[in-house]
Amino acid sequence: MLDLKKLIDGMTVEEKIGQLAQFNANVFSGSDADITGPLVKNGLTGDDLYRIGSLLNFKDSKEMNELQKRHLEGDRNKIPMVFMMDVIHGYRTIFPIPLALGGSFDTELVEECTRMSAVEASSAGVQVTFTPMVDYVRDARWGRVMETCGEEPILNGIMGAAQVKAFHGEDMSKFGGLATCVKHYAAYGGAEAGRDYNQVELSEHILREFYLPAYKACIDAGVDMLMPSFNVLNGVPAVANSWLMKKVLREEWGFEGVVISDYDAVGELITHGIAADKKEAAKYAFKNGCDIEMCSNGYIKHLKEMIEEGIFTEEQLDAVVLKILELKKRLGLFEDPYKGASPETEEKTCLTAENRALVRKAANECAVLLKNDGVLPFSKEHKKIALIGPFADNHNIIGFWSCCGKNEESVTVKQGVQSKLPDVEIKVVKGCSDKWNEIDKSRFDEAVKAAREADIVILCLGEPQNYSGEGNCRTDLDLPGVQNELAEKVIGANSNTAVLLFTGRPLAISKLDSIAPAILNMWFPGTEGGNAAADLLFGDANPSGKITMTFPKSVGQCPIYYNHTNTGRPISKQRDEMHNPYASNYIDCGNLPLYSFGHGLSYSNFVYEGMTLSKKEMNIDGEIKVTVTVYNDSDIAGKETVQLYMRDLVASTARPVQQLIAFEKITLGPKERKTVEFAVTEPMLRFWNSENEFVSEKGEFTLSVGYADNMYYTERFSLK
Ligand code: BGC
């Protein structure tokens, strides 16, 4: 039996501190004697090398195996390194970006995709993933909205918890089992003006109700690690923020897992103007419970000195080392430091036909039909198809954070349509440049000609994949370049046009919406994007995704989200497009968004036939059963997400106009009817009050079924 405490007793202070250090795998490039490049840049010496506890950003199983072997030969304690990576939406076979996946409202699908990525990643030597990312978001300008499930706190938590469970698998210590790290704690998504790394100022009740619950849900699901965010939260950067890191995380929530800083976030305490130097930065981070320092060297350089000075004790260090070694033990690394990773396993495991089939299904489930005037689905009988636009034959559709996925391994729209309809004549015209800001309209004529000569047009537009993701924020949320003008010309030439949209965030596409007969939002769909697009366009799959982040009409409406408060001067939906003096609105734009949270059409025609409440009064320990009946009034089988919302009509703090409290995705055959039942209980009605506690207050509530600002039925009840 491995005795970790005994192992720690035999370690030197330097060796212990090494366990708290994480660097990029490239610190190992070159021989020990050749102390150049990355080593020098990271302020490391050759002696530090064999003590490093973990690595990130290595290439594959071959590199991982070599590094682990070399490390174990050099480390007298024989403590394996642990290898970490960002496996966000697939390892090699890429499924849709998280913002899309959340909109499937399908936890089983999320678990299936996550399991697949865990097994692929494990074959390549990944042991810990920096997932789930559950930052709550309201501002589409922020590039990292693509990594989240959007503006719904409950949904974010449910999807995060599903990922934790699926990454672990049945036995985390075996091949295919990965440890997880929830991030970025906290409120990174609240960056002011949607600009990455910007400061966040949020009241406690907004934090508690919207931003914090998803991290907590992941902790309750057994997440192993947690990453504090880069941002300043209410004046103090997360990694040094004692309210966040000690009071809430450790004391209130009882989190006992390993905390790892974000990339150089400890070093950045100096840039924030919080610490005078590396030593002080390391002091703040360690004091506030940051266990591993990612890619900065404050601990390696200064922790020993701080122990000698009595700022920290060696017992404190031992407790952190124990936590890290326990994680390694739970991962099974002391038995098998390679966990079955090898080039042969990788070859057998990654990008298989089965995995491709799964991500194709996922891309089908996540696409959102934003608009359809009846052109979709297209018949397969058409003889001539024009594929127009910068995404018509473009492999760059897998999205940011695609880990080891390769763009060139993806299926383009052209390839997808061609393989579905091998005998049809397909004309591909890019129409405009994919050097996105180039104002070149010289290819418009060719596009118009192709559109005119075709029976149907598939117009493939969007924003490039490097316009979203870390550091990629925008102030303009419309289609970049001359795509709107291209769309106008093409649709003018052939109204039998459907737009396929590729994007990593909600876009403000009012112009496009006003002219396009149909818009099918593919998000960034992943490796099988082109095949999924063809399935959906030609009716082999029926769209069922919903948007989980509001699409604004104009970027000036941002931040815009469905769960806002009413204000003292709201305007009615009917008066939205007018300017209402002395009301809460704009002179030049309505308050309603272009597409609301929860919106997403289908080829089926779902009719909500009614909603009933089992009673109209509920005791604090009681329950109300809500039944909703949905009928598929069409000949096409489809899926619908039934969404239940709540509103607290009178409370001691102003409550949102709607809050999602439950959902269920159902499948309905042609002309089929189903009844969904939800149980509403008191904890679902709680909020953070001015006394700083989660409470419910007696009084009147409404329950509604529908989505955001489009409710089909609303009923009242009271909490006694
Ligand atoms: C990101 C994290 C990521 C880390 C390691 C940082 O820049 O903010 O989300 O886990 O890099 O790749």
Side-chain angles (χ1 to χ4, degrees):
M1 249 321 245
L2 175 65
D3 184 340
L4 294 180
K5 289 211 169 95
K6 213 161 138 203
L7 180 60
I8 294 171
D9 284 345
M11 290 166 79
T12 64
V13 174
E14 288 84 354
E15 284 167 344
K16 291 175 188 175
I17 293 171
Q19 290 300 316
L20 281 58
Q22 174 165 112
F23 288 96
N24 267 306
N26 70 359
V27 293
F28 280 88
S29 41
S31 72
D32 295 356
D34 174 27
I35 307 297
T36 56
L39 266 192
V40 168
K41 199 172 139 259
N42 287 289
L44 300 174
T45 67
D47 286 345
D48 295 322
L49 267 190
Y50 293 106
R51 303 186 196 123
I52 291 175
S54 59
L55 289 183
L56 82 160
N57 293 344
F58 55 100
K59 272 202 291 297
D60 50 21
S61 59
K62 184 168 173 289
E63 188 182 23
M64 178 265 168
N65 282 342
E66 282 166 10
L67 291 172
Q68 187 75 294
K69 184 162 173 283
R70 190 167 128 175
H71 170 82
L72 290 170
E73 282 163 6
D75 175 17
R76 67 177 189 100
N77 298 306
K78 307 286 171 229
I79 301 173
M81 287 193 290
V82 48
F83 289 77
M84 310 197 185
M85 213 185 260
D86 297 274
V87 186
I88 307 289
H89 55 115
Y91 175 76
R92 180 80 178 270
T93 318
I94 304 302
F95 50 87
I97 56 170
L99 188 56
L101 203 60
S104 72
F105 281 88
D106 186 342
T107 44
E108 267 174 43
L109 178 74
V110 173
E111 282 175 25
E112 259 185 288
C113 288
T114 306
R115 251 340 280 141
M116 175 205 75
S117 67
V119 174
E120 284 197 351
S122 190
S123 77
V126 184
Q127 296 150 354
V128 176
T129 174
F130 299 121
T131 333
M133 193 285 208
V134 292
D135 294 333
Y136 177 75
V137 288
R138 291 176 161 178
D139 194 328
R141 291 173 293 180
W142 192 48
R144 300 194 79 167
V145 299
M146 51 87 39
E147 285 170 67
T148 84
C149 288
E151 69 195 41
E152 190 7 80
I154 295 180
L155 183 69
N156 255 329
I158 290 175
M159 294 305 182
Q163 289 175 59
V164 170
K165 189 172 138 204
F167 270 120
H168 285 169
E170 270 169 25
D171 182 351
M172 194 171 91
S173 71
K174 298 282 168 348
F175 174 80
L178 260 64
T180 49
C181 175
V182 64
K183 66 189 187 185
H184 307 84
Y185 179 76
Y188 183 30
E192 276 182 8
R195 177 158 55 80
D196 208 359
Y197 317 122
N198 203 4
Q199 69 171 19
V200 179
E201 282 286 323
L202 291 169
S203 66
E204 186 162 352
H205 90 93
I206 293 286
L207 274 169
R208 296 280 189 173
E209 287 181 22
F210 296 94
Y211 287 84
L212 299 188
Y215 309 112
K216 173 73 163 51
C218 292
I219 290 172
D220 293 344
V223 79
D224 311 274
M225 295 176 59
L226 174 139
M227 187 187 292
S229 49
F230 282 127
N231 55 283
V232 163
L233 177 65
N234 296 336
V236 186
V239 72
N241 191 316
S242 62
W243 178 80
L244 206 56
M245 303 309 299
K246 290 176 102 169
K247 179 166 183 304
V248 179
L249 181 68
R250 302 289 196 188
E251 287 165 27
E252 271 183 43
W253 294 354
F255 180 65
E256 289 178 350
V258 174
V259 168
I260 183 167
S261 79
D262 203 343
Y263 206 105
D264 192 28
V266 177
E268 286 175 16
L269 289 176
I270 303 170
T271 335
H272 279 296
I274 289 287
D277 51 31
K278 272 267 166 76
K279 184 174 169 187
E280 203 176 17
K283 184 176 93 183
Y284 288 142
F286 193 76
K287 192 172 108 200
N288 286 299
C290 173
D291 303 317
I292 300 182
E293 185 186 8
M294 184 198 286
C295 294
S296 52
N297 55 17
Y299 288 180
I300 285 213
K301 293 284 165 225
H302 302 290
L303 201 48
K304 184 173 179 215
E305 183 188 327
M306 288 193 278
I307 290 172
E308 284 161 2
E309 288 167 4
I311 299 174
F312 301 114
T313 63
E314 196 166 343
E315 287 68 46
Q316 280 174 295
L317 174 63
D318 288 356
V320 173
V321 177
L322 182 63
K323 251 195 294 179
I324 296 168
L325 297 189
E326 272 167 353
L327 177 66
K328 292 185 178 187
K329 190 174 168 193
R330 284 207 309 282
L331 277 164
L333 296 181
F334 288 101
E335 276 106 63
D336 178 2
Y338 309 95
K339 279 190 90 172
S342 73
E344 299 73 46
T345 325
E346 216 180 317
E347 177 67 32
K348 269 201 315 244
T349 312
C350 294
L351 212 65
T352 59
E354 202 187 347
N355 291 358
R356 278 188 173 272
L358 174 61
V359 301
R360 179 173 180 167
K361 177 175 96 173
N364 278 332
E365 298 284 318
C366 294
V368 186
L369 185 60
L370 294 173
K371 178 177 179 185
N372 189 11
D373 286 351
V375 284
L376 287 178
F378 285 135
S379 145
K380 290 182 192 157
E381 301 306 312
H382 294 299
K383 294 282 171 274
K384 281 176 143 192
I385 300 179
L387 271 175
I388 300 175
F391 283 100
D393 192 18
N394 192 335
H395 285 283
N396 300 330
I397 55 170
I398 61 177
F400 203 96
W401 289 116
S402 284
C403 207
C404 290
K406 298 184 180 130
N407 282 313
E408 62 273 23
E409 286 167 352
S410 78
V411 178
T412 71
V413 177
K414 178 189 164 200
Q415 291 169 332
V417 174
Q418 218 157 34
S419 75
K420 184 163 296 288
L421 304 171
D423 302 325
V424 169
E425 189 186 324
I426 301 173
K427 174 96 180 143
V428 178
V429 182
K430 222 174 186 179
C432 62
S433 171
D434 57 11
K435 292 195 181 55
W436 297 90
N437 288 322
E438 213 169 81
I439 311 294
D440 173 15
K441 302 182 191 170
S442 62
R443 279 175 279 180
F444 277 20
D445 288 348
E446 193 195 348
V448 167
K449 183 166 178 286
R452 228 176 248 139
E453 289 169 359
D455 301 325
I456 55 169
V457 180
I458 302 165
L459 184 55
C460 306
L461 308 175
E463 62 168 28
Q465 46 185 2
N466 61 0
Y467 270 35
S468 55
E470 187 173 351
N472 300 326
C473 306
R474 294 185 69 194
T475 60
D476 175 8
L477 294 181
D478 207 339
L479 296 169
V482 289
Q483 295 184 83
N484 273 323
E485 285 132 288
L486 175 69
E488 207 172 342
K489 297 271 184 225
V490 168
I491 295 164
N494 188 337
S495 59
N496 218 359
T497 295
V499 173
L500 274 186
L501 192 65
F502 293 86
T503 176
R505 60 154 62 77
L507 292 172
I509 43 167
S510 296
K511 271 183 229 141
L512 182 70
D513 175 77
S514 69
I515 55 171
I519 306 176
L520 179 62
N521 178 23
M522 297 300 298
W523 299 108
F524 284 117
T527 311
E528 285 287 312
N531 279 331
D535 291 341
L536 291 154
L537 288 168
F538 294 96
D540 288 339
N542 187 354
S544 65
K546 307 280 185 190
I547 54 169
T548 56
M549 198 177 173
T550 303
F551 277 51
K553 273 190 191 134
S554 139
V555 71
Q557 290 180 315
C558 291
I560 181 168
Y561 44 94
Y562 87 93
N563 35 13
H564 57 82
T565 50
N566 203 28
T567 80
R569 296 183 176 195
I571 51 167
S572 70
K573 205 170 157 180
Q574 291 69 30
R575 293 185 58 88
D576 191 64
E577 286 305 325
M578 305 166 212
H579 174 232
N580 300 254
Y582 300 106
S584 177
N585 64 165
Y586 304 99
I587 288 176
D588 55 356
C589 182
N591 287 352
L592 288 174
L594 184 60
Y595 308 116
S596 306
F597 174 91
H599 167 74
L601 305 170
S602 164
Y603 298 150
S604 312
N605 179 26
F606 297 119
V607 181
Y608 281 71
E609 292 186 326
M611 174 175 97
T612 53
L613 272 50
S614 60
K615 46 189 175 191
K616 294 289 168 77
E617 284 184 0
M618 186 170 96
N619 292 329
I620 204 110
D621 54 355
E623 175 182 290
I624 292 185
K625 289 221 157 54
V626 182
T627 45
V628 181
T629 306
V630 187
Y631 175 60
N632 178 3
D633 190 13
S634 77
D635 297 326
I636 306 169
K639 291 181 184 171
E640 169 69 343
T641 300
V642 183
Q643 305 162 43
L644 183 70
Y645 292 81
M646 172 276 276
R647 179 170 182 181
D648 186 343
L649 293 173
V650 183
S652 57
T653 67
R655 307 305 308 139
V657 292
Q658 294 298 347
Q659 283 178 274
L660 185 76
I661 53 168
F663 61 85
E664 190 174 329
K665 191 166 187 175
I666 53 171
T667 305
L668 287 171
K671 305 287 175 196
E672 197 185 351
R673 174 176 281 107
K674 267 189 191 157
T675 298
V676 176
E677 189 176 280
F678 299 107
V680 176
T681 54
E682 180 273 333
M684 293 164 136
L685 312 176
R686 291 184 191 168
F687 64 94
W688 190 257
N689 71 4
S690 54
E691 309 291 313
N692 284 341
E693 24 176 43
F694 270 113
V695 292
S696 62
E697 288 174 1
K698 291 179 180 162
E700 294 290 298
F701 295 79
T702 61
L703 290 171
S704 304
V705 70
Y707 65 94
D709 34 50
N710 292 278
M711 295 304 177
Y712 310 127
Y713 295 98
T714 297
E715 296 284 342
R716 278 170 89 112
F717 76 95
S718 52
L719 179 68
K720 290 285 172 199

